[in-house]
Amino acid sequence: ALYLAAVLLKEKIGEKAILASLTGFAGALVILGGKLGGDYSANVWNGIAAILLSAILYAYNLILQRQQAQMAEPIEIVFFQNATMVAVYLVFAPFKAGAPTMDQLPNLAVAAILGTTSLLLLSWAYARAEAKILIPVEYTAFIWAALFGWLVFAEEVTAATLGGTALIIVGCLVA
């Protein structure tokens, strides 16, 4: 992501930003490595591959967010990103979509509010700081995932998760 920021955004990437990103990435690898020793289904590698591909696409998305934030207001960005997603979903809806049940509607509404708020805040942040500063902070998603996994799903927080989280925090502080 930092390389893309340097090339596409013409931002100078310093040693601190590289160190922060590598430290955060190392933390993510420690967390992932700690999860690989468990007894999982045969599809776990498909899930890992999907996550890695998602991370690559997300990195490019962060660059696009920075570009958009330099030209448009957060509300415009959120509107057009959501409109684009609606258009994409409408292409596949006739083949895969099912109507949500009444029980699912409150959770869908909360997810929509959280997603929209998140995108508004990210757009605001990327208009005010360079990608090289904000991208390493994105690794905090692992910290929040571990915390909410523990609180909501009673997932075990392992030593690898704590160690990886510590590296991510160090990376954020360096950034």
Side-chain angles (χ1 to χ4, degrees):
L2 285 178
Y3 176 75
L4 285 174
V7 172
L8 297 176
L9 298 174
K10 296 174 181 42
E11 292 181 3
K12 185 175 186 237
I13 307 300
E15 291 177 12
K16 279 178 63 173
I18 293 169
L19 178 62
S21 287
L22 290 175
T23 304
F25 185 64
L29 291 177
V30 167
I31 293 170
L32 178 62
K35 301 293 182 191
L36 292 179
D39 184 29
Y40 302 106
S41 74
N43 288 327
V44 72
W45 293 107
N46 291 338
I48 290 171
I51 290 291
L52 292 174
L53 177 59
S54 172
I56 292 166
L57 295 175
Y58 186 66
Y60 184 65
N61 183 55
L62 295 177
I63 303 305
L64 291 177
Q65 280 185 314
R66 174 76 171 141
Q67 288 176 324
Q68 289 172 340
Q70 292 173 327
M71 296 183 287
E73 293 296 317
I75 197 74
E76 294 173 272
I77 295 168
V78 171
F79 174 78
F80 284 104
Q81 284 195 2
N82 283 320
T84 300
M85 291 310 301
V86 166
V88 170
Y89 284 135
L90 286 176
V91 169
F92 296 103
F95 310 106
K96 292 287 186 183
T101 65
M102 290 302 287
D103 293 343
Q104 294 171 323
L105 291 180
N107 287 340
L108 288 172
V110 169
I113 291 167
L114 291 173
T116 301
T117 303
S118 171
L119 189 52
L120 282 167
L121 290 171
L122 281 170
S123 299
W124 184 85
Y126 275 96
R128 285 155 180 79
E130 291 182 329
K132 70 181 180 186
I133 301 298
L134 297 176
I135 287 173
V137 177
E138 288 284 333
Y139 286 112
T140 63
F142 284 96
I143 299 168
W144 297 112
L147 176 65
F148 289 123
W150 175 66
L151 290 173
V152 176
F153 300 109
E155 292 178 353
E156 180 184 356
V157 179
T158 64
T161 301
L162 293 174
T165 298
L167 285 171
I168 291 168
I169 291 170
V170 168
C172 292
L173 292 173
V174 169

